[in-house]
Amino acid sequence: MKTKQKKSIFLVLTTIYILCFSVMPVCAQPQGTDGSELQVAQPEQLEIQLGAEWAGVEFQLKTDAGLYPDTIPVGQDGVLRLEIGGSKSYILTCMNSSEKAPSPAQVPAATESQPKEEPEKDIEEKTATVAGIPIPHLCLFIGGMVLAVGSLVTMHIIKKRKEDRGDYDYDEEELEDE
C-alpha cells in the first residue's frame, strides 16, 4: 500500500514538473558578436507630392537622431523625395532657399482623384497584460502555485492519516507469513 502511494505521488510530481518546465522558451547564446556592432537600418522611401509651385524649394529634416546634414530640395515635378529610416520622429522645415515657397493664396486647392489610403494597421497583435505580465504567463504561474499548494496539502493530509492509524500498515508479505 505504501509503495503504491509513493509511486503515485512521484508520478504526479513528475508530471507537474514536465508540464511546468516544458513550455519555457529556448534561449540561445549569441554567437560571434557581442551586440555592440553597428546596426544598419533598412531605408524607406518617402515621397511628398507638393505640386509644381513648390519646385526647387528646400527643406531641412530633423530626426530624433539629429539634424540631416544637407537640405532636401523639391524636384521639378513638385515631389519631395528622400530616404528615411532608423528614427521614430521626423520634422520637415521649409528653409530660406533661392526659391520662395508659394503662399496659401497661390496654391490651388488640391483635388484628389485617388481615394485616400488608410494608414497601415499594426500587423503585430498586442498581447493582453495584467500589470505588465502577459496573461498566458500569469495563468501558468497561478496554475503552478495551485498545484504546488494542493500537493503540499495532500501530503500533509496523508501524513496525518498515517499518524492517526498508528502506523499499523502491513505489507502484503507480512500478512502472508502470519
Side-chain angles (χ1 to χ4, degrees), residues 18-54:
I18 290 171
L19 290 176
C20 287
F21 294 106
S22 64
V23 294
M24 304 248 330
V26 177
C27 298
Q29 293 291 334
Q31 297 178 356
T33 62
D34 62 357
S36 63
E37 293 80 21
L38 178 64
Q39 302 293 323
V40 179
Q42 293 295 327
E44 296 289 332
Q45 191 70 22
L46 174 66
E47 290 186 1
I48 302 174
Q49 298 179 356
L50 297 171
E53 299 83 21
W54 289 84

Side-chain angles (χ1 to χ4, degrees), residues 52-74:
E53 299 83 21
W54 289 84
V57 176
E58 295 177 343
F59 286 86
Q60 179 182 24
L61 176 65
K62 184 177 179 183
T63 66
D64 55 353
L67 191 61
Y68 190 75
D70 200 9
T71 58
I72 304 157
V74 177

Side-chain angles (χ1 to χ4, degrees), residues 25-177:
V26 177
C27 298
Q29 293 291 334
Q31 297 178 356
T33 62
D34 62 357
S36 63
E37 293 80 21
L38 178 64
Q39 302 293 323
V40 179
Q42 293 295 327
E44 296 289 332
Q45 191 70 22
L46 174 66
E47 290 186 1
I48 302 174
Q49 298 179 356
L50 297 171
E53 299 83 21
W54 289 84
V57 176
E58 295 177 343
F59 286 86
Q60 179 182 24
L61 176 65
K62 184 177 179 183
T63 66
D64 55 353
L67 191 61
Y68 190 75
D70 200 9
T71 58
I72 304 157
V74 177
Q76 293 303 318
D77 57 352
V79 178
L80 177 72
R81 292 182 179 89
L82 65 139
E83 287 185 351
I84 59 173
S87 293
K88 293 185 179 183
S89 66
Y90 301 92
I91 301 172
L92 273 175
T93 307
C94 185
M95 298 298 298
N96 293 331
S97 62
S98 58
E99 294 292 324
K100 192 169 184 177
S103 67
Q106 293 174 333
V107 178
T111 57
E112 286 255 348
S113 60
Q114 300 174 350
K116 291 184 180 180
E117 295 180 18
E118 294 183 17
E120 294 181 18
K121 295 181 181 176
D122 287 342
I123 296 173
E124 185 178 315
E125 186 177 308
K126 303 254 183 198
T127 306
T129 61
V130 173
I133 302 170
I135 298 288
H137 295 175
L138 195 58
C139 290
L140 182 64
F141 175 74
I142 292 171
M145 289 299 293
V146 167
L147 289 174
V149 170
S151 298
L152 289 173
V153 168
T154 304
M155 289 171 27
H156 181 72
I157 290 171
I158 290 172
K159 183 179 177 184
K160 284 290 185 185
R161 284 184 183 172
K162 209 180 230 184
E163 289 173 357
D164 289 346
R165 281 192 259 157
D167 290 331
Y168 292 122
D169 290 337
Y170 293 107
D171 289 331
E172 292 179 14
E173 294 175 6
E174 292 177 4
L175 291 175
E176 291 175 1
D177 291 339

